[in-house]
């Protein structure tokens, strides 16, 4: 059985939020990668972003996720929403098959899966010699 734990941030929680960001006011794209059933599964948190505004690309073993959240024209008096672009690139693990990839967006989570190759790279043994 799992229990929920509360993360107590103290008196000024905004300071901890700022420390988690690379630039003030910009939250990085958060990722989670696991290996499940012979596939590499990469999940990204993208709440409030339309799937049409998400682009996933693969180039030479690097997977890139780019998403945009557009500001709607409203007469909002106050907003704490964040708008703009998010981009994150991840080097894929050894054996990831770029030709066998899928991406599914559901309830604010983008899940990308790639098949992992069962074959391991051949090991090359290099003989050590002693000069004469």
């Amino acid at each position: 059985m799992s229990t929920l734990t509360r993360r107590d941030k103290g008196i000024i929680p905004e300071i901890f939020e700022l420390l988690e960001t690379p630039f003030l006011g910009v939250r990085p794209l958060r990722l989670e990668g696991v290996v499940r059933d012979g596939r590499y599964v990469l999940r990204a948190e993208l709440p409030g972003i339309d799937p049409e505004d998400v682009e996933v690309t693969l180039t030479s073993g690097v997977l890139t996720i780019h998403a945009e959240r557009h500001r709607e024209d409203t007469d909002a008096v106050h907003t704490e929403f964040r708008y703009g672009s998010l981009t994150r690139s991840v080097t894929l693990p050894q054996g990831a098959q770029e030709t066998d990839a899928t991406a599914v967006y559901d309830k604010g989570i983008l899940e990308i899966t790639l098949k992992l190759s069962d074959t391991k790279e051949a090991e090359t043994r290099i003989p050590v010699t002693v000069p004469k």
Side-chain angles (χ1 to χ4, degrees):
M1 180 163 91
S2 64
T3 59
L4 295 175
T5 56
R6 181 172 171 241
R7 183 175 158 192
D8 188 9
K9 295 182 180 180
I11 298 172
I12 307 174
E14 291 83 17
I15 289 175
F16 289 94
E17 290 290 323
L18 290 174
L19 292 174
E20 292 176 354
T21 62
F23 303 104
L24 295 178
V26 179
R27 179 172 299 279
L29 184 62
R30 295 183 181 195
L31 303 176
E32 174 181 75
V34 297
V35 176
R36 185 184 327 137
D37 299 326
R39 296 186 71 81
Y40 178 67
V41 180
L42 183 70
R43 296 172 37 143
E45 287 184 334
L46 296 172
I49 295 179
D50 291 326
E52 302 87 43
D53 295 328
V54 177
E55 180 179 279
V56 179
T57 57
L58 278 167
T59 307
S60 302
V62 176
L63 182 134
T64 300
I65 301 169
H66 178 78
E68 292 192 33
R69 186 176 204 190
H70 303 285
R71 180 177 212 132
E72 297 177 12
D73 291 329
T74 63
D75 295 328
V77 176
H78 173 78
T79 183
E80 293 181 5
F81 286 13
R82 293 189 174 125
Y83 299 93
S85 298
L86 297 167
T87 302
R88 186 87 183 265
S89 294
V90 176
T91 302
L92 296 174
Q94 189 89 16
Q97 303 287 317
E98 293 185 18
T99 57
D100 186 4
T102 61
V104 176
Y105 182 85
D106 186 33
K107 298 176 185 164
I109 303 292
L110 174 67
E111 184 172 285
I112 302 161
T113 63
L114 298 105
K115 183 177 180 183
L116 291 176
S117 173
D118 292 336
T119 58
K120 295 183 180 178
E121 287 189 25
E123 182 180 281
T124 302
R125 186 167 185 101
I126 302 169
V128 178
T129 60
V130 178
K132 294 183 181 189

